Amino acid sequence: MTTKKTFENIKKLLNKHNQSHLLAFWEQLNSAQRQNLLAQIGQLDFSKIDDWVVYFVKKSSSSALPADFAPASSYGPIPADPDQRRKYARARELSKELISAGKVAAFVVAGGQGTRLGFDGPKGNFPISPVKNKTLFQIFAEIVAAVSEKYLTVCPWYIMTSSLNHIETREIFRSNSYYGLDEENVFIFQQGTLPNFGFDGKILLADKDTIACSPDGHGGSLKALFQSGALEDMKRRGVEFLSYWQVDNPLINIFDPLFIGLHALDAAEMSSKALRKIKPKEEVGNFCLVDGKVTVIEYSDLPDGLAHKRNPDGSLVFGLGSIGIHIINRSFVEKLNAEDFTLPLHRAVKKISHIDQQGKLVEPAEPNGIKLESFVFDALPLASKSIILQTLRSEEFSPVKNAAGVNSAETARQMMVARAADWLESAGVAVPRKDDGSVDCLIEIAPSFALKKDDIKAKLSRIPEIKPKSRFYLT
Ligand code: UTP
């Protein structure tokens, strides 16, 4: 029961922050609804709301560009000289030890809304594999299982969902018997939310007793790991490193020995994989150095002149793009959460369904408000040390973002087939190709068969024949 005094205090608080309209329908609510609304109000961070309204809702400026920054340096996909060759070999050895000792866990962020893809349900349940139509979750689960088997260990898998898809995600895992993994080693937890605002700075109501909220961005993962008990679970298991990726990338190499090993050898706290950008204004964040710290500057914030600047060899000066793949130390996340850390917020102008002052549902045709979120890469400058490893797009990155066109399911399937064809050809298998060089069949390789190119040769007992236009599944 809410005492009169508590209620009066809440009213005062809301008044002070210009949000008293949240109680506009109070008299129409029953007692359960009132409790529900008060609980949500209790979750709001009133120490920050006024600043959010001033800096993100009412002001449309993008984040300020640092006064001085330079391109970040990185490890190349292949070693640059004999010294580096030795270091890469040591890194691979070290990560074998770390993975075998159960010190590396998988961590996928899957709490997004997936609006561009327009798929009904959690994006991880999107069927993507070219022959077997496996879902993203199934592919990842098979990688986790294959790595656990290869290294005779248990690789725990942490999955971050949001209020939009938590229950459904759990149900998908349950009804698929955790894709053969032990339920005990799959930790599904929810990220936090942030309130949605109208352009006037007022928090929107989704219903008379419900505040309109949305997931707090993939940056919310660093708090959610702590608040959900996932960090505690890692500590109990002796997990020290999290291999972080985004749910929409079916080409992810979750346990990359080189990446994990270089990160550990260099005693980094949070590291990243990068791609060489294909064009100056490619829509990926740019890895830069600000005050000696690795920092991602969004493509929209990088001035045109700098985006187009080239090195003498013709490569882009700011050529390293961020692709949402990181190694994050458990101790780093613990350190952040030991204090009240905050990541910068980013604003997005969106169409937000809500109820109006009369309690009528409004489903806007045009953007009508602001959603706020934080980005995980904004934690990079907080790390004492951070390395970047370049990787190849064709090997590791094909995000399923859009329903059609670039970065769609179609392009991802093509890239999955192209990678499988390349792996097979490297082992001497003839792959049918069309005149334009593209693969003329569908190929899929199960993670249990091969996790990387070099696995193929060792595993093939005979060279298979693949017919043009056929469907070929290697398991
Ligand atoms: P995106 O930025 O692509 O957003 O997320 P999205 O919500 O999936 O898709 P759109 O923009 O609505 O079309 C990149 C990754 O971050 C995760 C997503 O699930 C995806 O793996 N993410 C994003 C979260 O886990 N939580 C969030 O709040 C936002």
Side-chain angles (χ1 to χ4, degrees), residues 170-189:
R170 288 198 80 98
E171 180 50 25
I172 289 163
F173 274 78
R174 198 201 53 76
S175 61
N176 285 285
S177 309
Y178 286 76
Y179 304 99
L181 297 171
D182 195 339
E183 177 181 350
E184 176 181 298
N185 300 322
V186 181
F187 193 111
I188 306 177
F189 65 98

Side-chain angles (χ1 to χ4, degrees), residues 421-432:
D422 175 48
W423 287 12
L424 285 171
E425 285 172 336
S426 77
V429 179
V431 172

Side-chain angles (χ1 to χ4, degrees), residues 344-366:
L345 288 180
H346 301 255
R347 77 197 293 271
V349 179
K350 298 270 183 185
K351 290 184 240 173
I352 305 168
S353 302
H354 65 102
I355 55 165
D356 64 15
Q357 284 160 355
Q358 283 69 47
K360 261 191 29 219
L361 181 66
V362 180
E363 294 198 84
E366 295 301 324

